[in-house]
Every structure is written in C-alpha cells, then in structure tokens.
C-alpha cells in the first residue's frame, strides 16, 4: 500500500523569510455570530511557508508561476540528506544517487542544507526540473541572489520550505502543484510524497 507523506508547513504557523510579511487570516463571516456561513479572508506573501519560486522571482523576463505548467512539480523525485553547505562534489554525488534510483529530474534536499553557487551550477547543468529544500531560501539567507539566478536562469523551479524531518533518503513520487496565480513570481504549494 502506498504511503502519503505530507511535506508542507501549516501556513499560519510557518517559517517566514526575514522581511517578508507573515500570513494572516481574518474571519469575515461567522455562523456563531449569526452569519449564513464561516468565511475567511487570507493575506500572505507568495513565498510564505512551503512554496515554489518561478523564474520571474529574480528574472524580469522569466516565466511566471502560471506559465510553468505542472510537469516540474509532479513526478518521481530523489530525497537526499545533507547538512551544511552543498558543494559541487556533494551535488555531483546527489545526482549520481538520483540517477541510480531512476529519479534525477526532481531533487529534494533534507536537512539544514545551503546550496552553494558551485552546487547550483552542477544541478543546472544536469538539467533537473526542480530543486527543493527545507530552508525558506535555496541559497545562503544573507545572499540568495546568485544561486537563484543560476537555477532559475536554467528554468530549474525551486520548492522551498518543505518539511523532510522523518523522510528517508531515496526515491519517491512528488506532488507539489502551486496555486495557479496568474503573473506571480511564486505560489504556495501543498507538497506531499508518495512512497
């Protein structure tokens, strides 16, 4: 029997990238107050919680989230465990494991990993469709631009803020479809793995 593993953060208690607005909810209607139904208004950044970055996030002529389609976000993936900086050698090793597992198009990195520019080039040159990580940004938090430019410039979609605490290294089926937000640079996702 297939096992479904939710790898998404809960939105209102999620980690927020420094400087980004935190998600908020406002109850507009309430059954307990005599309204016909409960109705909630949401206010959030497209990059809160578990979310996808489209190339337009850093590239003004890059594709927006609605232009990417679903292919990068749905399919076999490889989960690799790593803590610390991901070097070029680490990235090459991850790609070798992913190829051996038959899942080299989508790479998820579990752990407190920081993808370096050198590693980003290895992933981009490998032609992967998606790179995911547990941090709210794929590169160094204090200098994320270079890594984003390398990956998004190669149309590698980024899946940031995933939760892989109890996920073993190996091959899985990923579904991480973002909301279809026309013209946006990113979107929240409900990401899960199937083993």
């Amino acid at each position: 029997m297939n096992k479904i593993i939710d790898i998404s953060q809960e939105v209102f208690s999620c980690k927020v990238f420094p400087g980004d607005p935190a998600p908020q909810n406002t109850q507009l209607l309430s059954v307990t107050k005599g309204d016909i139904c409960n109705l909630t208004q949401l206010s959030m950044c497209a990059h809160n919680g578990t979310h996808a970055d489209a190339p337009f996030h850093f590239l003004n002529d890059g594709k927006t989230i609605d232009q990417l389609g679903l292919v990068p976000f749905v399919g076999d993936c490889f989960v690799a465990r790593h803590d610390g900086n991901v070097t070029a050698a680490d990235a090459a090793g991850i790609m070798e494991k992913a190829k051996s597992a038959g899942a080299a198009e989508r790479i998820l990195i579990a752990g407190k990993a920081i993808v370096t520019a050198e590693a980003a080039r290895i992933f981009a040159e490998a032609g992967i469709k998606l790179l995911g990580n547990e941090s709210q940004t794929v590169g160094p938090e204090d200098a994320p631009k270079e890594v984003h430019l390398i990956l998004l410039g190669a149309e590698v979609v980024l899946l940031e803020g995933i939760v892989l605490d109890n996920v073993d290294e190996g091959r899985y089926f990923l579904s991480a479809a973002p909301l279809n937000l026309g013209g946006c640079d990113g979107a929240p996702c409900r990401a899960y793995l199937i083993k």
Side-chain angles (χ1 to χ4, degrees):
M1 183 170 177
N2 291 337
K3 181 180 179 185
I4 298 173
I5 306 164
D6 189 351
I7 60 168
S8 302
Q9 296 181 56
E10 189 283 317
V11 173
F12 298 112
S13 62
C14 74
K15 298 173 192 168
V16 176
F17 187 81
D20 285 357
Q24 297 178 348
N25 61 346
T26 305
Q27 193 162 22
L28 300 179
L29 297 177
S30 169
V31 172
T32 58
K33 292 181 180 176
D35 295 319
I36 190 171
C37 64
N38 294 311
L39 184 66
T40 304
Q41 176 179 296
L42 308 177
S43 172
M44 64 185 292
C45 169
H47 300 267
N48 285 154
T50 304
H51 67 277
D53 284 2
F56 184 62
H57 187 34
F58 276 81
L59 302 162
N60 213 35
D61 59 350
K63 289 183 179 177
T64 55
I65 202 75
D66 56 307
Q67 294 173 326
L68 293 173
L70 294 176
V71 171
F73 303 99
V74 181
D76 290 328
C77 74
F78 186 78
V79 173
R81 299 209 70 85
H82 189 88
D83 284 312
N85 287 343
V86 180
T87 66
D90 295 328
I94 289 168
M95 289 309 304
E96 282 305 310
K97 288 183 194 177
K99 286 175 189 169
S100 295
E105 291 187 331
R106 296 166 195 87
I107 305 294
L108 306 183
I109 304 175
K112 295 181 179 177
I114 299 166
V115 176
T116 63
E118 295 74 25
R121 287 186 191 93
I122 297 293
F123 291 129
E125 288 164 10
I128 67 170
K129 294 179 174 154
L130 177 143
L131 180 65
N133 70 309
E134 295 199 72
S135 171
Q136 289 305 111
T137 185
V138 74
E141 193 174 279
D142 59 347
K145 186 174 181 179
E146 184 180 13
V147 170
H148 278 76
L149 288 176
I150 293 165
L151 292 165
L152 295 174
E155 291 201 358
V156 177
V157 174
L158 304 179
L159 179 62
E160 298 172 330
I162 52 180
V163 181
L164 298 169
D165 294 344
N166 300 309
V167 179
D168 294 328
E169 192 165 277
R171 179 179 176 162
Y172 297 84
F173 185 87
L174 170 70
S175 178
L179 293 179
N180 192 7
L181 303 178
C184 284
D185 47 85
C189 302
R190 183 63 183 264
Y192 61 90
L193 299 173
I194 298 176
K195 181 68 174 176

